[in-house]
Amino acid sequence: MIRLVNPAFAFGLLAALLPILVHLLLRDRIRRVAFSSLRFLRHAPKHVLRHKVVSESLLVLLRAAACVLAALVFCRPVFCPRGDPSALRVDRATVVVVDLSGSVPRSADAVRLREEVTAALDGLGRGDAAALMVFDRRPTVLVPMTTDLASLRTALDRVVPGHGGTDIAGALRRADDLLRDVSAPTRRVLLVTDLQRSGWRDFRGDWRLTPGVELAVHPLVPAAVAADLAIVRADYPRSAVRDATARTIAVRVANLGQEAAPDVPVVLTVNDREVNRQSVSIPPHGAVAVRFGFAFEQAGDNLGTVSVEQADLCPDNSRWYFNTKVIPRIPVLLIGTAEATPQRSADFLLRTALAPAPESPFEVRGVAAGRVSAQDVQAASVVILADVPALAPEVREAIDSLLRRGGGVLALPGAHAAPDSFVIPGAEDLSPCRLRRIVVNAGRGGQAREMGLARIDYTHPVFEAFLRPHHGDFSAVRYTRYWEVTGSQLSRVLARFEDGRPAVLEREVAAGVVMAWLAPPDPTWGNLPGRAIYLPLLHQTVRYLCLRTEPAAEFVVGDALPVSRDETVTLPDGTAVPGGNVAAPLPGFYRVEKPGTAPRHLTVNTPTAEAEVDTVSPDELRAALVTPVDAGAPAQAGTAPGSVVDRGLWQAVLLALLLVLLVESFVANRALRN
Amino acid sequence: MPATRYLDFNVLARISSMQLLAKTVVEGFLLGLHRSPFRGFSVEFAEYRQYTPGDEIRHIDWKVYGKTDRYYLKQFEEETNLACTILLDASASMTYQSRPDGLSKLQYASSLAACLAYFMNGQRDATGLTVFDDRIRLMLPPRLRPSHLKRLLSELDDLKPGGDTDIAAPMHQVADTLRHRGLIILISDLLDDPDKVLSALQHFRFAGHDVLVFHVMDEAELGFTFESMTEFTDLETGERLLVSAGGMRGAYLEELRRFLTACEKGCAGIRADYKLFNTSTPLELALSEYLYRRSLLG
């Protein structure tokens, strides 16, 4: 049934007669003229007359239609389905907003939550209209505004605590939108929540509830429990090279309860196999760090979990899911100056250092600069430019692509590089610096003076491993010559020569990294290749450069997952859904499959903020959001008292009016030109 | 062209007598010529020549002697060297006028003919008039007598519009009757077959006459200033046509342009002078055109 909110404007429908009247009164009267000769008129196009008649008729119709639509817009037609409050007068309009975030189970399970919501609904009766909305990071309207309160109770089956984060302000804003179309004497939002402060922290105070809207809070009180354990932080290797090195997986376990938690088992599982177990004791309101060491051997995805095996109210935050991608071997492309590499040349020394044995984690392929192709670069994770004076444009573009997908480049300019060139030849926007000149330190008697390294940045991942005592000595490294550079303002200096000039530079380009050693590993330039630190330094550098090519694979509940429409996603509960617009509903492992490609895995965890126990008071919410009502403030325009307006039909009528006016303008313009 | 002061057409339209109108226009034109720095000739003495021994004394103009102390003889008709024949189209199409307070084409053409006749008479040129529509309605041979001019102007005063247009046949007829070469001035709207009209004009050219065509059209005919739905009725045939005037103005003007171009080029091709006048063009311009033509003839 369609009802008019403002029936008084229906008289405006008579305005449709106006264009007809105007047309009749002002239409072209036929003028009769005695003319000297019709000889010049006989060739006039006949269709002009017909076109004029048609266009005039059409214009009259369009203008009459515009008048009718304009009158309807003012009348505000609405659909009134059964139970719609606009068919009745309502005294009170309420939006019940229920928190389903991951922290709620600490206060109420599904049954108790429904009981709490039912208790809130019990306060509504005849003369009330209500809507039901749930929220975690995003609000979802389960039941729009209605006087059929039974439908709200029916929808309670969908009120189940979830696993996502909390955004109280966002939910209240949406509730305010629902109430904006209602004009009842009393309008309010009834918020059922555990009042977790982390869900309120991001509110910037840039909006308030509509004046006249009340805010009632029904707090969910957390159960008093002995211990409530949660993993609040985790650190693990996102990717690794397959070698015998044990990687560290560390978590921080917090005790949110009132009592100490002794002998809490914390278990590391990798690829469905328990690999380590530790027992920790955690004081009340305290936290401990738990570290595991594990050597990943399986190439590809290694799905692991760290779980606190002690039952509590929120098992979701007692488990952490991770995925370590193991790269069996790092493909390295070594672009040198000559294919045949004489011994003691930089090419030879690099190749030997990177692949000293078949078990080397690096798969090195050497190609002369004149023969390297774009495909060679695409197949590599790291490209080493060993004293390359020039590169073909397609190779430069391939290097650019490598960097954009997170790969790395190690530039080693030597004797073949030219002054004023860039360390990546021809690529100013990729290079960390510009070569200026070769510095030869002359000593007494004309002999070259050796220069060492100073001011090494040990906070950098490449040099971090050498920080600890007996883990590498750079003091014995000496150089007889090196490149002086300019234009390194965008680069980070990782090491300097003793005279202060940069020795190692790093520049982040897109998702990748370009590093430059300003003295190649060549015996004619320095003694680095002969020092013990050369091999581990080179390995660390190449590892660092390669481990960016993998896309992000870890998310929290509620995040949109990066899956395309032609992929299928299997949720942790076994449900398969098509790709496209998928928001992670559960914590756990998600398997993404696409025909013709190997499956990949994504890990989703509960937001760590859900483990926070700090709460916000209802008074604080009201003070921040509720606007005092001014006496004498104008009534909400455009709605009948106690009615709900369906804007959809009105907007459709308005759109139709605009369309008619547009067509009328077009036809009138054409008629004028003719 | 010498600078002249043109008479307001609103004034002209109120002058009912052709003689008075012509006198007014011509004298105004001459006055302008006097004031003009471009004194190519002195028309007011065109009818005199200086006395030479042997001339008859009875022809001396004593008034001129009183003014100038010199003897001048009046020139008589036999001493003029030009016979001008005005061919005036008085068909029904010439009765069209777009403004109630303006002149119809026929009125304008009659005024034009009157002024030319008066002026030519003052120049001691014999002037004749032929009025036609689809046939000759009036024919006055070229003469240089005051009574002849008076009759000519009187006929123009009493001129009534005729019927259909057929320019060529009357012109051929006139061409056959003229014995002496002279100047032919055609005043018409030329709403006839251009080829036939040109053929008739060429007849005059073959006979050695000089031809001057004054093509008279109304402003509304030239600009087609109609906007709304209009039913046009042909003044000669009575045919009716309903058109959306605003919508087909472009087509009309294109047709008109072709017609005018044909007339102009056709006249140029037979070495006849062609001038397009609308009913608001000052009559003095016609007199200037005549004078220019006259000067070429010597």
Side-chain angles (χ1 to χ4, degrees):
Chain A
M1 183 178 80
I2 296 178
R3 191 178 74 85
L4 300 178
V5 176
N6 301 318
F9 285 100
F11 288 105
L13 293 170
L14 293 173
L17 296 174
L18 280 176
I20 300 170
L21 267 171
V22 168
H23 171 72
L24 290 173
L25 291 174
L26 300 182
R27 66 181 171 179
D28 275 351
R29 297 195 191 289
I30 296 177
R31 192 178 157 195
R32 293 188 165 74
V33 172
F35 206 54
S36 51
S37 174
L38 301 185
R39 60 186 290 166
F40 306 123
L41 296 170
R42 288 199 185 91
H43 300 287
K46 296 290 187 288
H47 73 270
V48 173
L49 182 61
R50 284 198 302 272
H51 183 272
K52 182 177 165 64
V53 171
V54 169
S55 62
E56 281 189 357
S57 305
L58 185 60
L59 281 173
V60 169
L61 284 172
L62 286 170
R63 287 162 184 167
C67 291
V68 167
L69 289 170
L72 280 178
V73 166
F74 281 101
C75 288
R76 296 288 290 272
V78 295
F79 283 119
C80 296
R82 185 166 178 237
D84 191 284
S86 62
L88 306 167
R89 289 194 66 85
V90 293
D91 299 322
R92 186 170 54 181
T94 303
V95 179
V96 181
V97 183
V98 185
D99 186 349
L100 297 184
S101 64
S103 60
V104 165
R106 254 207 308 275
S107 305
D109 59 8
V111 172
R112 187 171 158 234
L113 186 61
R114 288 179 198 138
E115 289 171 359
E116 297 280 354
V117 177
T118 302
L121 292 176
D122 286 342
L124 304 176
R126 191 180 173 77
D128 281 319
L132 180 61
M133 191 174 78
V134 297
F135 74 97
D136 45 24
R137 270 172 57 181
R138 294 183 186 84
T140 304
V141 178
L142 293 184
V143 180
M145 192 68 67
T146 180
T147 54
D148 183 10
L149 299 180
S151 62
L152 272 75
R153 294 176 195 278
T154 305
L156 285 178
D157 291 340
R158 288 188 277 166
V159 176
V160 178
H163 312 271
T166 314
D167 182 5
I168 296 175
L172 292 176
R173 192 163 193 173
R174 183 71 179 95
D176 190 51
D177 286 343
L178 291 178
L179 286 171
R180 197 163 290 154
D181 291 329
V182 181
S183 181
T186 304
R187 293 179 295 158
R188 63 173 185 151
V189 176
L190 176 54
L191 178 63
V192 182
T193 178
D194 60 358
L195 291 169
Q196 191 182 34
R197 181 166 287 280
S198 65
W200 176 248
R201 188 174 296 135
D202 292 335
F203 177 62
R204 291 175 293 181
D206 53 351
W207 68 274
R208 280 176 171 266
L209 292 170
T210 303
V213 174
E214 300 168 4
L215 175 61
V217 179
H218 186 109
L220 297 171
V221 179
V225 291
D228 182 7
L229 304 174
I231 296 177
V232 296
R233 201 164 71 195
D235 189 23
Y236 62 95
R238 272 68 175 174
S239 58
V241 179
R242 186 176 62 185
D243 54 23
T245 308
R247 313 292 177 180
T248 301
I249 300 107
V251 296
R252 190 169 183 80
V253 183
N255 181 0
L256 310 172
Q258 309 294 327
E259 296 180 7
D263 300 321
V264 175
V266 181
V267 180
L268 170 65
T269 305
V270 178
N271 295 326
D272 294 324
R273 185 171 64 90
E274 181 178 319
V275 297
N276 204 333
R277 173 183 288 262
Q278 295 185 29
S279 182
V280 295
S281 295
I282 312 172
H285 305 298
V288 297
V290 182
R291 290 189 177 82
F292 299 94
F294 181 74
F296 292 92
E297 294 178 351
Q298 177 180 303
D301 289 344
N302 286 262
L303 303 179
T305 58
V306 178
S307 51
V308 177
E309 291 197 344
Q310 179 161 317
D312 64 12
L313 296 175
C314 294
D316 283 345
N317 60 18
S318 302
R319 179 170 296 181
W320 186 268
Y321 302 90
F322 67 92
N323 179 11
T324 299
K325 291 181 189 293
V326 174
I327 306 166
R329 300 185 85 187
I330 299 175
V332 178
L333 178 66
L334 174 58
I335 304 175
T337 51
E339 201 153 1
T341 53
Q343 290 196 8
R344 298 182 62 79
S345 72
D347 289 9
F348 171 77
L349 292 168
L350 284 165
R351 192 193 304 271
T352 308
L354 285 171
E359 299 82 25
S360 166
F362 307 108
E363 188 177 320
V364 182
R365 183 162 170 262
V367 181
R371 296 188 184 191
V372 67
S373 68
Q375 288 77 11
D376 294 330
V377 175
Q378 283 161 8
S381 293
V382 176
V383 171
I384 301 177
L385 302 174
D387 195 17
V388 173
L391 286 173
E394 60 270 16
V395 175
R396 281 201 297 274
E397 283 177 20
I399 289 177
D400 187 28
S401 295
L402 170 71
L403 291 167
R404 274 191 263 113
R405 60 184 167 89
V409 176
L410 175 61
L412 306 170
H416 292 93
D420 287 332
S421 65
F422 297 98
V423 293
I424 298 181
E428 177 181 359
D429 52 339
L430 305 179
S431 299
C433 61
R434 188 172 198 154
L435 302 174
R436 193 173 179 188
R437 65 184 178 106
I438 296 175
V439 176
V440 179
N441 296 295
R444 286 185 183 175
Q447 295 208 350
R449 185 172 76 88
E450 294 177 341
M451 179 80 66
L453 289 174
R455 287 192 272 166
I456 296 171
D457 185 356
Y458 287 102
T459 64
H460 192 273
V462 168
F463 294 98
E464 188 181 30
F466 305 103
L467 176 62
R468 283 179 281 176
H470 310 296
H471 275 70
D473 182 14
F474 283 97
S475 62
V477 177
R478 285 282 182 269
Y479 296 92
T480 55
R481 53 179 174 155
Y482 52 85
W483 276 100
E484 184 184 69
V485 299
T486 60
S488 59
Q489 296 87 338
L490 296 178
S491 304
R492 178 181 175 184
V493 180
L494 303 183
R496 293 184 182 271
F497 295 110
E498 284 175 345
D499 62 0
R501 292 187 174 94
V504 178
L505 289 170
E506 175 194 56
R507 179 181 175 184
E508 292 184 359
V509 178
V513 170
V514 179
M515 285 183 68
W517 289 4
L518 297 173
D522 186 319
T524 62
W525 288 66
N527 67 356
L528 175 63
R531 310 310 305 177
I533 203 167
Y534 170 57
L535 190 144
L537 174 63
L538 184 62
H539 281 214
Q540 277 295 102
T541 301
V542 175
R543 274 206 191 91
Y544 170 74
L545 288 172
C546 100
L547 295 179
R548 281 183 184 74
T549 53
E550 301 304 322
E554 57 187 65
F555 306 89
V556 296
V557 173
D559 281 349
L561 299 178
V563 289
S564 56
R565 288 180 194 277
D566 55 355
E567 292 176 312
T568 304
V569 183
T570 303
L571 306 182
D573 62 0
T575 310
V577 297
N581 190 15
V582 179
L586 303 166
F589 298 115
Y590 288 67
R591 183 181 172 89
V592 181
E593 293 172 289
K594 179 178 176 181
T597 61
R600 55 190 178 99
H601 295 87
L602 308 174
T603 57
V604 177
N605 287 288
T606 304
T608 54
E610 290 303 300
E612 294 182 19
V613 294
D614 288 346
T615 58
V616 59
S617 70
D619 289 337
E620 188 176 338
L621 292 181
R622 275 190 279 269
L625 294 173
V626 176
T627 308
V629 178
D630 292 330
Q636 191 174 5
T639 63
S643 65
V644 170
V645 174
D646 177 359
R647 288 198 286 192
L649 182 58
W650 170 75
Q651 286 170 343
V653 172
L654 184 60
L655 193 63
L657 171 63
L658 292 173
L659 199 62
V660 165
L661 289 174
L662 189 66
V663 172
E664 191 272 345
S665 301
F666 177 74
V667 173
N669 184 262
R670 286 290 300 269
L672 195 65
R673 287 169 184 276
N674 288 332
Chain B
M1 195 189 82
T4 55
R5 184 164 54 93
Y6 297 142
L7 284 167
D8 187 350
F9 259 88
N10 290 328
V11 173
L12 278 179
R14 289 197 286 271
I15 299 176
S16 56
S17 162
M18 279 299 172
Q19 178 148 4
L20 183 57
L21 180 144
K23 186 171 184 294
T24 306
V25 171
V26 170
E27 287 183 358
F29 176 69
L30 291 176
L31 194 63
L33 282 182
H34 277 297
R35 290 175 181 164
S36 164
F38 301 102
R39 285 173 165 261
F41 45 81
S42 57
V43 295
E44 62 267 47
F45 294 110
E47 66 271 28
Y48 295 92
R49 68 175 175 84
Q50 199 161 8
Y51 171 80
T52 55
D55 289 331
E56 292 193 34
I57 298 176
R58 61 189 175 103
H59 293 145
I60 291 176
D61 191 324
W62 296 108
K63 285 183 185 171
V64 173
Y65 171 75
K67 289 180 186 174
T68 62
D69 277 340
R70 291 188 182 181
Y71 300 106
Y72 282 91
L73 295 178
K74 295 179 188 175
Q75 295 221 330
F76 293 101
E77 180 180 330
E78 293 79 11
E79 295 182 16
T80 61
N81 55 1
L82 193 63
C84 301
T85 302
I86 298 174
L87 304 177
L88 177 62
D89 181 354
S91 61
S93 65
M94 291 288 287
T95 62
Y96 177 70
Q97 74 184 87
S98 60
R99 291 185 303 151
D101 58 341
L103 296 176
S104 69
K105 288 191 290 185
L106 185 59
Q107 287 171 326
Y108 180 86
S110 302
S111 303
L112 185 59
C115 292
L116 283 168
Y118 192 92
F119 189 60
M120 285 190 283
N121 199 263
Q123 295 299 304
R124 306 305 296 168
D125 287 332
T127 309
L129 174 69
T130 300
V131 177
F132 65 92
D133 45 25
D134 58 350
R135 58 187 173 83
I136 293 175
R137 302 260 310 281
L138 170 71
M139 191 167 184
L140 299 176
R143 291 286 184 271
L144 182 60
R145 294 196 197 102
S147 58
H148 178 78
L149 176 63
K150 196 173 176 183
R151 187 181 167 204
L152 189 150
L153 295 174
S154 172
E155 290 291 349
L156 289 174
D157 262 329
D158 297 331
L159 192 61
K160 298 287 185 291
D164 292 348
T165 302
D166 185 356
I167 301 174
M171 287 211 296
H172 281 299
Q173 207 171 335
V174 171
D176 288 335
T177 59
L178 292 175
R179 292 197 300 267
H180 302 290
R181 292 177 187 177
L183 176 62
I184 305 300
I185 300 177
L186 172 62
I187 305 175
S188 169
D189 56 10
L190 300 183
L191 290 175
D192 198 356
D193 184 346
D195 293 334
K196 290 184 181 174
V197 173
L198 288 171
S199 167
L201 290 174
Q202 195 145 30
H203 191 167
F204 284 113
R205 292 290 297 143
F206 281 153
H209 300 285
D210 280 298
V211 177
L212 189 51
V213 177
F214 290 141
H215 187 178
V216 176
M217 294 198 82
D218 190 276
E219 277 184 350
E221 289 176 316
L222 291 172
F224 200 68
T225 54
F226 303 99
E227 288 290 339
S228 55
M229 295 287 290
T230 308
E231 186 185 71
F232 292 96
T233 304
D234 191 308
L235 281 168
E236 292 184 3
T237 65
E239 181 187 351
R240 295 174 192 236
L241 190 63
L242 177 64
V243 295
S244 171
M248 45 79 60
R249 178 180 297 107
Y252 173 92
L253 291 176
E254 180 59 26
E255 283 296 315
L256 178 68
R257 185 191 65 79
R258 284 205 203 104
F259 168 69
L260 295 177
T261 303
C263 293
E264 187 175 0
K265 284 188 176 173
C267 289
I270 61 172
R271 299 212 327 242
D273 275 350
Y274 171 88
K275 290 292 171 197
L276 178 63
F277 281 61
N278 70 45
T279 50
S280 59
T281 303
L283 293 170
E284 289 86 340
L285 285 178
L287 300 182
S288 296
E289 194 59 31
Y290 160 73
L291 269 181
Y292 170 70
R293 195 70 188 171
R294 182 74 173 79
S295 65
L296 292 179
L297 296 174

